[in-house]
Each structure stands twice: as structure tokens, then as C-alpha cells.
Amino acid sequence: DAKTTQPPSMDCAEGRAANLPCNHSTISGNEYVYWYRQIHSQGPQYIIHGLKNNETNEMASLIITEDRKSSTLILPHATLRDTAVYYCIVRVWGGGSNYKLTFGKGTLLTVNP
Amino acid sequence: EPEVTQTPSHQVTQMGQEVILRCVPISNHLYFYWYRQILGQKVEFLVSFYNNEISEKSEIFDDQFSVERPDGSNFTLKIRSTKLEDSAMYFCASRGSEGTEAFFGQGTRLTVV
């Protein structure tokens, strides 16, 4: 799986958009970008994933650059409950029984009141 | 909403003792996983399990570890002779069919004294 680089920490004001960047310059054509988060030592939680088109769901939006070497996770209206470590993971879709997530250190997002 | 359930939430055991961590995956899921997170460190993959056998394991998952699906609902991780360095949060995860994402449990905090 391709390596990812994320800032160790970010702050965001409550109610504002949180934009979390991720660099994945060695991503290959069949690798997807996944985002998970972990709230205070709870189990990781899936947020969103994408290949090359921008994606949106009820939790967040994912913007992937045209060259696919970087992406941004957007939480449109951050709340205090969004304070968590956010992980950007690049891997091949599917994987069957060999599906495995490789977590890095992620970005600690702190949402301030 | 279906969820992965882990018990106990916290287990304290003496070094050298056997411990069994229990997980009830989401009903009808086919793929099962164990991850661990030592305090302050990354979430690490331990093992994946499919069709009643281990499909992949990490180098952490040595002979002291074993997994079992004793019935149709439980998925267990056994550590045969615990060491101090086994102290960590252990997360169980399950996944449905190909292309779906993994759901994680809330974890079991294992403390070896």
C-alpha cells in the first residue's frame, strides 16, 4: 500500500469547516483513498473513500486532486464530537480475505468551542 | 444500527496467565479481524480470519496468540501466556461482503501486571 503523509495536528473552530490534508504521492492506479477516525481510543470508524472523483456522504466530503497525489477530507460543520485522530489510508479496493488496514499516526483534529 | 461487541471492556491479568478476549461480530459478516493499539502508538493489524481459518497474520501474531470462532456468533483472541508488553487496547472488527468496509468494536483494554 502506498505511504501517506498527514500533519500531526490541526485545530478548528466549532461550526467551521475542517479541512484535513493527506499526501499520497506514490499512489498507484488501482489504489483508493480511505479515511477513518478514532475518537479517544475507541475503535476506528470508517468515514469515506474514493478513487479519483470527489465523494460526499452524510459525514464528510473527500476531494482528490486530479493527479491523485493528495486529497482533503472536509467536515463541513465541525462539532466538538468530531475531535479525533483522522487516518488517511491508501489501499487497493476490496482485498477479499486479505483486506487489511495499515494505520499511520494520523492527524489529531481538535475542535474548539 | 448493528455493531461489533467486545467483552470485557477492561481486563487485568497477571503475567504468564492465559487470557481470552471475546468479540461478537455483526451478524452475517464473513471476515473477522483483530487489531491492537499500545498506548500512544499506532493501531496495528494482528490477524484476519475467513472461512474458519486464518487468512493473514502479522509478525506480532506469534505462537502465543490464537483465534477461534467457536460458534456462529463469537470470535475470540487467546493469548496463551501474557507478557507485560501485551498490555494494549485490542480491537475486533468484522466485514460483510467484498467491497464493504470494516466495523470496529469499542475495544478491550488489556493490562498485564
Side-chain angles (χ1 to χ4, degrees), chain B residues 31-69:
Chain B
Y31 304 93
F32 312 106
Y33 310 87
W34 283 100
Y35 287 76
R36 81 170 186 189
Q37 185 175 33
I38 295 171
L39 185 63
Q41 298 189 22
K42 302 176 188 179
V43 178
E44 300 174 290
F45 168 78
L46 289 178
V47 65
S48 60
F49 190 87
Y50 171 71
N51 200 26
N52 283 320
E53 61 182 23
I54 290 173
S55 45
E56 188 176 358
K57 60 183 180 180
S58 73
E59 56 188 32
I60 301 170
F61 194 89
D62 61 22
D63 292 343
Q64 294 297 317
F65 290 88
S66 62
V67 289
E68 191 178 32
R69 188 155 161 81

Side-chain angles (χ1 to χ4, degrees), chain A residues 34 36 38 41-46 49 87 91 93-105, chain B residues 31 33 35 37 42-45 48 50 55-56 89 91 95 98-102 104-107 109:
Chain A
Y34 290 77
Y36 279 75
Q38 187 178 24
S41 295
Q42 296 179 20
Q45 178 188 25
Y46 165 77
H49 74 277
Y87 301 101
R91 60 177 300 278
W93 180 85
S97 58
N98 292 323
Y99 173 104
K100 180 176 75 177
L101 295 170
T102 302
F103 290 88
K105 295 184 178 180
Chain B
Y31 304 93
Y33 310 87
Y35 287 76
Q37 185 175 33
K42 302 176 188 179
V43 178
E44 300 174 290
F45 168 78
S48 60
Y50 171 71
S55 45
E56 188 176 358
M89 283 290 288
F91 296 108
R95 183 168 169 251
E98 183 68 43
T100 60
E101 292 312 305
F104 284 77
Q106 292 305 295
R109 179 173 300 282

Side-chain angles (χ1 to χ4, degrees), chain B residues 69-89:
Chain B
R69 188 155 161 81
D71 52 43
S73 60
N74 291 287
F75 179 51
T76 61
L77 174 69
K78 181 192 290 186
I79 308 174
R80 189 167 56 186
S81 178
T82 50
K83 304 189 273 283
L84 294 176
E85 53 265 37
D86 293 327
S87 295
M89 283 290 288

